[in-house]
Amino acid sequence: MNQKLSLGEPFIETRYLEAEESFAVTFPAILVNPDPQQDILVNDEFVLEPLKAIIVRDVTISVPGKALLIVGFDALRLSDRLTMAALCRVWKSNYQLTGRPADRTSPYFKSPKETLGNISINFCLVADPDAPSGIHREHADPTVKELHVQIVGEGAVDLMKSQDPSSLYASLPLATGSTHMATWNPEGAYTWHRYRSVTPCIFLGVEVH
């Protein structure tokens, strides 16, 4: 299966692959392995492990499970005011999504969410640098595996001892094309955590159920 998704348009092209024995990627792309169990083989020699991401180009990939390809990320310039204004106009702000007065000045803007079987994904623009999300550890689905894949710019996932921001004890840096190690323990329980922009940026939120 090779399916083009609409959630990032007109800014980012997203493709969903499933059970593709030999798929040629001739353009720069962020390759995400959202499958919690199966590896992706790159050029018959490099293994992309489950729940990991890399930047590829001019490769052939073997996808026994599932994969996401993100294209066009390298052409997005968030320093361009017209680009930033277009993103903020097309994607919905946190305030539009929640209606909470506390979110009125939030710099977070989200694309539509797409669900593909046990995987849900959406893009998130953080229009300001050093802008943290809310600190949380519970999810609507207690079995979910939550990943942040950095698409444009730089970010981090911060780990906390409590909901107090001063309890931060570790930070997982995110560069373009990368994701972070698991923020849950072997039993699936999360520590307190948050996403934080380092620069204005876009990340892909991935939820594996």
Side-chain angles (χ1 to χ4, degrees):
M1 177 189 291
N2 169 16
Q3 180 182 354
K4 186 176 179 181
L5 308 178
S6 62
L7 73 160
E9 294 181 347
F11 311 105
I12 303 169
E13 179 182 323
T14 309
R15 289 190 174 273
Y16 171 68
L17 307 179
E18 187 173 333
E20 286 284 337
E21 184 175 340
S22 181
F23 186 86
V25 185
T26 58
F27 33 75
I30 296 172
L31 172 63
V32 184
N33 184 358
D35 194 296
Q37 296 181 326
Q38 301 195 73
D39 296 334
I40 294 174
L41 190 60
V42 180
N43 280 350
D44 289 327
E45 55 188 14
F46 179 82
V47 171
L48 181 62
E49 297 175 342
L51 308 181
K52 299 295 183 184
I54 53 171
I55 298 175
V56 297
R57 69 173 299 165
D58 297 327
V59 298
T60 299
I61 60 176
S62 175
V63 184
K66 302 173 182 180
L68 297 166
L69 283 172
I70 314 300
V71 183
F73 66 96
D74 51 333
L76 272 178
R77 300 288 180 266
L78 299 185
S79 57
D80 179 78
R81 276 191 267 180
L82 292 177
T83 298
M84 182 66 81
L87 283 160
C88 293
R89 184 174 62 251
V90 173
W91 293 353
K92 290 187 176 180
S93 68
N94 261 7
Y95 179 65
Q96 288 174 298
L97 292 168
T98 69
R100 297 181 305 191
D103 288 332
R104 192 180 293 273
T105 59
S106 171
Y108 281 68
F109 297 80
K110 295 179 180 179
S111 77
K113 180 174 281 190
E114 187 109 24
T115 298
L116 306 150
N118 67 322
I119 299 167
S120 297
I121 60 173
N122 67 293
F123 291 103
C124 182
L125 163 72
V126 191
D128 293 341
D130 196 26
S133 71
I135 301 170
H136 63 285
R137 66 177 178 185
E138 304 297 334
H139 300 88
D141 177 357
T143 67
V144 72
K145 293 177 173 62
E146 177 190 56
L147 296 174
H148 305 77
V149 181
Q150 197 69 27
I151 304 301
V152 179
E154 298 176 36
V157 170
D158 294 331
L159 308 183
M160 319 291 203
K161 296 177 182 177
S162 71
Q163 284 184 290
D164 183 345
S166 67
S167 69
L168 185 150
Y169 67 88
S171 192
L172 312 177
L174 289 169
T176 296
S178 70
T179 189
H180 48 83
M181 65 184 71
T183 55
W184 56 88
N185 66 18
E187 288 72 46
Y190 284 79
T191 185
W192 292 102
H193 62 282
R194 70 182 182 190
Y195 181 87
R196 174 175 51 83
S197 63
V198 174
T199 67
C201 63
I202 295 172
F203 68 85
L204 179 71
V206 181
E207 295 180 342
V208 182
H209 301 272

